[in-house]
Amino acid sequence: MKVEIRQLLTDISFFRETISGIRFICEDNSYFTSFPSVAEWTGGDVVLELRTSDSAAEIISRLADYNIVAVPQEGGYRTRSIRFAIKSDNDIICVLHKAFADSNLRKKAHQLDGLNQNVDQLVQQLPHVRHGAFSRGVKAMKNQIDTLKNIRAYHQKER
C-alpha cells in the first residue's frame, strides 16, 4: 500500500460521499450487501455502487493506490458500478468499512435531527401536550448519537 495517513483519511471521506452500496460476491455468485465475516467470505469480487457515474474514474485511480485493479461495469443498471477482485485481508476492506460506518452514523444523526424537528412542530400544534412526553425518547437517541460521536473523536485522537 502506498498511501499516507492524510490520503487515507481523504479517501475515507471521498468513498463515504461517492459510494452508495457494496456487494461482496462469492464463487457461487451469491453475494452479501453488508460486510461479511471472514468465515463467510475470504476473497472474490467486490462491486461498488456509485452515486454518480462521474466519480468512477476517480475511484478507480484511488483504488490503484491500494494496488487494486478495478474496472467499471457496463450495461443496464450497472453503469454506475465498479468491480474488482480482492482477498478479505486487503487494506481497502478496512477503508471501505470505515467509510460505510461513517455514512451510517451521519444518516442516523440526520434522521434524529428530523425527528426532533417533527416533535417540536407537533408540540406547537397541540397546546395541551407537554414536550417532555415526546422528547424523552428523542433525548435518549440523541445521547446515544453523542456517545458515538465522542467515541469516534477519541479514536481519531489516538491515531
Side-chain angles (χ1 to χ4, degrees):
M1 182 171 85
K2 56 180 179 179
V3 291
E4 297 178 2
I5 297 296
R6 287 184 186 143
Q7 182 63 38
L8 182 72
L9 296 175
T10 304
D11 288 345
I12 289 172
S13 62
F14 177 76
F15 289 147
R16 180 183 63 228
E17 299 298 326
T18 57
I19 298 173
S20 64
I22 190 167
R23 283 181 296 182
F24 293 88
I25 302 173
C26 299
E27 291 176 2
D28 61 352
N29 286 333
S30 62
Y31 61 89
F32 299 93
T33 56
S34 62
F35 287 83
S37 69
V38 175
E40 296 170 325
W41 186 85
T42 57
D45 288 353
V46 174
V47 176
L48 300 177
E49 298 168 5
L50 311 178
R51 296 188 197 284
T52 64
S53 59
D54 299 337
S55 58
E58 178 68 22
I59 288 183
I60 289 172
S61 69
R62 288 183 188 233
L63 289 174
D65 291 339
Y66 296 91
N67 298 325
I68 293 177
V69 178
V71 293
Q73 294 288 305
E74 297 297 330
Y77 67 93
R78 294 184 177 184
T79 54
R80 294 188 334 192
S81 62
I82 294 174
R83 187 176 187 138
F84 54 92
I86 59 169
K87 300 270 187 223
S88 62
D89 62 347
N90 196 292
D91 295 331
I92 195 65
I93 297 292
C94 296
V95 173
L96 292 173
H97 187 272
K98 178 66 174 154
F100 274 92
D102 288 354
S103 177
N104 289 339
L105 184 63
R106 184 176 281 181
K107 285 178 192 174
K108 287 180 182 178
H110 183 69
Q111 289 172 347
L112 287 177
D113 288 342
L115 180 62
N116 195 27
Q117 289 175 356
N118 289 343
V119 168
D120 289 341
Q121 290 174 356
L122 184 62
V123 168
Q124 289 174 357
Q125 293 172 0
L126 301 171
H128 300 293
V129 176
R130 295 183 325 178
H131 189 270
F134 291 102
S135 66
R136 282 187 210 113
V138 174
K139 285 182 183 177
M141 287 189 285
K142 276 185 176 180
N143 289 340
Q144 291 174 353
I145 292 293
D146 290 339
T147 302
L148 290 173
K149 285 180 183 177
N150 291 339
I151 291 171
R152 181 177 171 207
Y154 177 75
H155 285 293
Q156 287 178 346
K157 286 181 184 177
E158 285 185 343
R159 294 179 184 177

